[in-house]
Amino acid sequence: MSESAKTPVDFWFDPLCPWAWMTSRWMLEVEKVRDVEVRWHVMSLAVLNEDRLDELPEEYAENMRPGGKSWGPVRVVTAAQQLHGDEVVGKLYTALGTRFHNEGLGVNRDSIAAALKDVGLPADLIDYVDRDTYDVEMRASHKEGIEKVGQDVGTPVIAVPGADGEQIAFFGPVVTPAPQGEAAARLWDGTLLVAATPGFYEIKRSRTEGPDFSNL
């Protein structure tokens, strides 16, 4: 990679997750203040949880089961990527997340169809909500991300080249509201610092607030 090239940051997301959405909006701020470029990839909470549905709260488990609302968005994004290229993934994620989370319009066919229209993608991609055509590719993308951090985390997963060229990967950060400007830069620098420390695994405290989309 040349000195002028931006550092690639791989970001795995499930469109359903409001916390991943918050982190993704922070990551877009980081692109403005640090010399990085985000590469977007899908992962799936439904796939992550498919072998432990009995351990989950019933309402959450219902979303994860086959036919639940967790499957449709990630299938549509995967189909868009397979048929129209990697460059549409981030744009479609932004359109979906804005409707799902910022506008509170719900995870449903109408919201997905409107998001496709927002980014100029073919309307018939909505049909992949109920199709497993690209589930192999979706699961492969999920596996690539989750194997970097382990099975006991969720979405998002972020991976960035370390000083030795090997990727440093981590779950999160989980933050609300999404930091902007210099605050976004400080969080990025600090996250990389702790994630790159050999033997470092976790910083955590109880969440006292839900996702705050007011500044997005």
Side-chain angles (χ1 to χ4, degrees), residues 15 21 25 88-103 105 111-121:
W21 172 248
R25 300 309 92 181
V88 306
V89 176
K91 296 175 184 178
L92 182 54
Y93 180 32
T94 289
L96 289 168
T98 298
R99 290 178 176 276
F100 292 170
H101 306 302
N102 294 14
E103 298 176 5
L105 297 178
S111 293
I112 297 169
L116 291 168
K117 183 177 181 180
D118 287 345
V119 296
L121 286 168

Side-chain angles (χ1 to χ4, degrees), residues 14 16-18 44-50 53 56-75 106-108 129:
D14 185 320
L16 190 73
C17 180
S44 169
L45 289 172
V47 171
L48 182 68
N49 289 295
E50 62 185 348
L53 293 175
L56 303 175
E58 180 55 34
E59 182 177 355
Y60 187 80
E62 192 63 27
N63 291 334
M64 301 296 121
R65 292 192 176 98
K69 67 180 181 181
S70 179
W71 289 91
V74 74
R75 280 175 166 168
V107 181
N108 52 57
V129 164

Side-chain angles (χ1 to χ4, degrees), residues 6 9 24-38 178-182 184-185 188 215-216:
K6 293 186 176 182
V9 177
S24 74
R25 300 309 92 181
W26 161 70
M27 200 64 244
L28 291 181
E29 280 291 307
V30 174
E31 277 193 318
K32 300 175 185 177
V33 293
R34 291 292 183 266
D35 199 20
V36 302
E37 182 175 17
V38 182
Q180 298 182 334
E182 187 55 30
W188 176 249
N215 69 342
L216 300 181

Side-chain angles (χ1 to χ4, degrees), residues 127-146:
D127 295 337
Y128 289 94
V129 164
D130 303 312
R131 293 180 181 174
D132 62 3
T133 308
Y134 297 111
D135 278 12
V136 170
E137 290 81 0
M138 179 265 287
R139 287 176 179 273
S141 179
H142 171 90
K143 181 179 180 182
E144 181 185 10
I146 206 68

